[in-house]
């Protein structure tokens, strides 16, 4: 990932984005020669906001900005410099939302693998005596693991 700078936190900082207090990542860009700003959208991941900024930056400034982009290899095909502000907003927003959706689906599929692995594991074989306590079962919670409890557990 080019042009990433480590900040004070463990999160990477990309050009042209910022984080809202409630956790969403947003992107906007100034139009050259004017005071106008183009709102590029709000995203759940910083990479998506950075891609939106890259698309708008390329459309506004052309190929000369390639070395300054966060992800120069992720520009969608068919982008043209000097598009209208409305088309730039749409192209940037579409690219950012597609990146957000792709990253979310990757995370979900990773979680699905963990869930399937957990469900395939049987803590006791049929016919075994059920332990009287959690300690007797030999199961331990490790750091980063949690216990899943649903409403049905209490009904």
């Amino acid at each position: 990932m080019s042009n990433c700078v480590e900040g004070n936190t463990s999160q990477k900082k990309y050009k042209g984005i910022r984080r809202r207090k409630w956790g969403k990542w947003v992107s906007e860009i100034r139009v050259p020669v004017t005071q106008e700003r183009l709102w590029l959208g709000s995203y759940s991941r910083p990479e998506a906001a950075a891609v939106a900024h890259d698309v708008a930056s390329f459309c506004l400034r052309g190929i000369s900005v390639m070395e300054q982009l966060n992800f120069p290899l992720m520009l969608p095909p068919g982008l043209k410099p000097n598009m209208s502000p409305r088309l730039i907003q749409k192209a940037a927003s579409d690219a950012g939302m597609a990146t957000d959706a792709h990253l979310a689906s990757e995370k979900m599929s990773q979680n699905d693998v963990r869930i399937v692995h957990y469900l395939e594991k049987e803590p006791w074989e049929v016919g075994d005596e059920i332990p009287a306590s959690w300690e007797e079962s030999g199961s331990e919670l490790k750091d980063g693991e949690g216990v899943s409890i649903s409403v049905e557990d209490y009904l």
Side-chain angles (χ1 to χ4, degrees):
M1 293 179 202
S2 65
N3 296 331
C4 296
V5 181
E6 284 293 322
N8 292 345
T9 65
S10 63
Q11 304 244 342
K12 293 178 181 165
K13 181 157 173 61
Y14 300 104
K15 290 182 180 182
I17 70 168
R18 67 179 185 275
R19 189 172 189 180
R20 298 273 192 197
K21 291 178 196 173
W22 50 89
K24 288 283 187 178
W25 293 88
V26 297
S27 181
E28 64 182 340
I29 192 168
R30 285 195 184 272
V31 178
V33 189
T34 69
Q35 293 299 317
E36 182 183 358
R37 290 183 186 193
L38 288 180
W39 179 254
L40 305 175
S42 178
Y43 306 94
S44 59
R45 292 184 169 59
E47 294 85 359
V51 167
H53 186 269
D54 287 353
V55 168
S57 186
F58 176 81
C59 291
L60 289 168
R61 295 175 179 91
I63 200 160
S64 64
V65 78
M66 289 297 285
E67 290 182 13
Q68 299 166 2
L69 299 178
N70 297 299
F71 302 103
L73 300 176
M74 290 184 66
L75 288 175
L79 286 181
K80 299 174 190 151
N82 301 322
M83 294 168 44
S84 73
R86 285 273 187 234
L87 288 176
I88 292 171
Q89 277 181 314
K90 179 161 179 19
S93 177
D94 289 350
M97 287 190 300
T99 302
D100 232 0
H102 177 73
L103 292 173
S105 70
E106 272 186 1
K107 185 175 181 179
M108 286 181 67
S109 65
Q110 289 172 356
N111 285 343
D112 290 345
V113 168
R114 284 189 215 128
I115 290 168
V116 167
H117 176 71
Y118 177 77
L119 293 175
E120 289 174 348
K121 201 170 94 176
E122 288 199 32
W124 303 285
E125 295 296 323
V126 177
D128 285 351
E129 190 174 320
I130 297 175
S133 70
W134 182 259
E135 290 82 20
E136 288 179 25
S137 71
S139 298
E140 291 181 29
L141 279 181
K142 297 179 181 102
D143 287 344
E145 287 184 337
V147 177
S148 177
I149 300 174
S150 68
V151 174
E152 289 81 20
D153 294 334
Y154 292 98
L155 297 177

